[in-house]
């Protein structure tokens, strides 16, 4: 495996010419340094003209993730194929590069407020049911080895207790600490693991109005419970209230026969959402919707209420 020596247009052009000579003359750019300090993130996915995307890496940790993604996509594209996968036009490990066909559309965040959310849920569940099927995990593990957990687990509750207080109101800190205790109890025992995308947020989906066209970015594929996969769907920015999440949970049970625990989804969501608040605040970056950390805590309380979950009450013995 040989990754790019540097993040430069010249290095990318050279690799592109080696893997797909017919694309060597296409205009390309490279990402800037923002958020790329850690070698784990020394990777990019940029347009090659207006018909393709090219994904590359310039460090060993990032290269290992990309090589994994290439192998997993090849495995999942075999029959029975997981739907909504990116079309890999060409790939190579020497030089390490993956070229996919560009699909026009908008992210789920852009369309969620204007589409039929039950229709959207049916399409997302079609993807999830195929990805979470035991055969999909078997094919992926045959390609990349045993998967033992999520690749990028959200912030731990200890981290949230210790560091979030700098960014939220004093009166909210006790509430968040109680929520963390509740989440620890809910997730105290692991649920049955399936193959998960690992980063199924709105910007990793391409929609043509109310039609799902594509799911992107499989570099965080791992093994975790279905509730972990749904941790981003309580929002924000995914339509009015929690209609999309509840529709996904309902349709998922109908299609797979497996029940999804709202409490476990929210326990993962707590760590996911507040972890995002924490790292963005500490990095001096605005939150995704440009509101404040105290407002995100208030929103989280509203989501608990909308799902009739009381995180201040002892959790039921079996949250699955």
């Amino acid at each position: 495996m040989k990754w790019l020596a540097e993040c430069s247009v010249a290095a990318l052009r050279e690799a592109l010419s080696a893997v797909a000579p017919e694309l060597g003359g296409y205009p390309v750019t490279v990402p800037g340094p923002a958020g790329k300090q850690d070698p784990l993130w020394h990777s990019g996915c940029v347009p090659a003209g207006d018909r393709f995307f090219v994904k590359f890496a310039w460090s060993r940790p990032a290269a290992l993730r990309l090589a994994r993604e290439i192998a997993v996509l090849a495995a999942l594209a075999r029959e029975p194929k997981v739907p909504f996968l990116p079309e890999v036009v060409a790939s190579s490990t020497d030089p390490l590069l993956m070229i996919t066909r560009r699909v026009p559309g908008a992210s789920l965040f852009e369309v969620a407020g204007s589409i039929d959310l039950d229709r959207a849920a049916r399409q997302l569940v079609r993807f999830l049911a195929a990805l979470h099927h035991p055969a999909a995990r078997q094919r992926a593990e045959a390609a990349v080895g045993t998967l033992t957990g999520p690749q990028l687990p959200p912030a731990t509750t200890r981290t949230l207790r210790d560091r979030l207080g700098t960014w939220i109101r004093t009166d909210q800190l006790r509430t968040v600490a109680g929520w963390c205790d509740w989440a620890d109890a809910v997730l105290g025992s692991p649920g049955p693991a399936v193959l998960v995308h690992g980063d199924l947020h709105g910007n990793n989906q391409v929609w043509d109005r109310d039609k799902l066209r594509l799911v992107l970015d499989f570099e965080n594929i791992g093994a975790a419970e279905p509730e972990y996969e749904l941790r981003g769907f309580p929002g924000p920015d995914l339509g009015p209230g929690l209609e999309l999440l509840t529709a996904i949970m309902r349709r998922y049970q109908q299609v797979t026969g497996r029940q999804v625990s709202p409490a476990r989804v929210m326990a993962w969501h707590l760590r996911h959402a507040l972890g995002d608040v924490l790292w963005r605040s500490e990095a001096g970056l605005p939150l995704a919707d440009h509101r404040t950390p105290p407002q995100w805590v208030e929103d989280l309380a509203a989501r608990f209420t909308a799902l009739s979950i009381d995180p201040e009450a002892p959790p039921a013995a079996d949250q699955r």
Side-chain angles (χ1 to χ4, degrees):
M1 182 171 64
K2 183 178 179 182
W3 51 93
L4 271 63
E6 60 184 14
C7 180
S8 69
V9 169
L12 179 55
R13 280 191 182 283
E14 181 180 356
L16 190 59
S17 296
V19 176
E22 67 277 15
L23 304 183
Y26 278 46
V28 293
T29 60
V30 294
K36 301 286 186 180
Q37 292 81 4
D38 187 332
L40 183 64
W41 308 116
H42 285 189
S43 62
C45 185
V46 300
D50 58 1
R51 296 175 54 202
F52 304 98
F53 275 102
V54 55
K55 195 165 189 176
F56 56 99
W58 61 93
S59 73
R60 177 176 171 78
L64 291 172
R65 289 161 60 87
L66 177 53
R68 229 165 129 265
E69 181 175 12
I70 291 170
V72 165
L73 284 174
L76 297 183
R78 295 196 296 269
E79 296 296 337
K81 181 179 178 180
V82 174
F84 308 114
L85 297 179
E87 179 188 350
V88 179
V89 177
S91 64
S92 168
T93 56
D94 186 8
L96 183 67
L97 209 68
M98 180 172 71
I99 302 164
T100 56
R101 194 172 304 279
R102 190 170 187 172
V103 174
S107 80
L108 179 59
F109 291 134
E110 294 175 89
V111 303
S114 61
I115 61 176
D116 182 326
L117 294 179
D118 186 66
R119 176 180 169 88
R122 290 198 300 270
Q123 296 171 83
L124 284 164
V125 167
R126 183 181 164 212
F127 167 75
L128 291 170
L131 185 69
H132 293 179
H133 193 281
R137 181 176 177 182
Q138 290 167 6
R139 298 207 309 272
E141 291 187 325
V144 300
T146 302
L147 299 168
T148 57
Q151 290 298 306
L152 293 174
T156 65
T157 51
R158 168 178 280 187
T159 297
L160 296 177
R161 290 186 190 95
D162 290 348
R163 291 159 46 190
L164 192 63
T166 302
W167 308 102
I168 61 177
R169 299 195 309 264
T170 303
D171 62 293
Q172 292 177 321
L173 183 57
R174 182 176 178 181
T175 297
V176 168
W179 290 351
C180 288
D181 293 343
W182 171 86
D184 288 342
V186 169
L187 299 177
S189 58
V194 297
L195 183 68
V196 293
H197 175 278
D199 197 19
L200 194 61
H201 59 71
N203 285 336
N204 277 338
Q205 303 167 41
V206 178
W207 290 77
D208 179 5
R209 293 183 292 274
D210 62 351
K211 293 182 180 179
L212 177 60
R213 300 288 307 279
L214 194 64
V215 177
L216 304 169
D217 196 1
F218 284 75
E219 67 181 37
N220 293 310
I221 204 110
E225 61 186 20
E227 289 88 349
Y228 171 84
E229 188 89 286
L230 301 181
R231 69 195 185 281
F233 283 94
D237 294 334
L238 285 177
L242 297 177
E243 183 182 343
L244 180 57
L245 173 63
T246 55
I248 290 173
M249 291 191 296
R250 181 177 64 253
R251 295 291 182 184
Y252 188 90
Q253 182 175 357
Q254 292 171 353
V255 172
T256 67
R258 297 192 296 267
Q259 188 170 2
V260 177
S261 163
R264 293 182 76 87
V265 172
M266 286 302 294
W268 285 115
H269 176 65
L270 168 77
R271 292 173 54 184
H272 170 74
L274 295 186
D276 195 55
V277 168
L278 180 62
W279 84 260
R280 285 177 179 272
S281 299
E282 291 183 339
L285 299 172
L287 301 190
D289 57 3
H290 295 277
R291 290 184 300 156
T292 66
Q295 287 173 319
W296 271 54
V297 173
E298 292 168 357
D299 277 359
L300 193 51
R303 289 178 207 133
F304 280 123
T305 300
L307 289 172
S308 300
I309 294 173
D310 182 2
E312 296 182 6
D318 184 4
Q319 293 294 340
R320 293 187 295 279

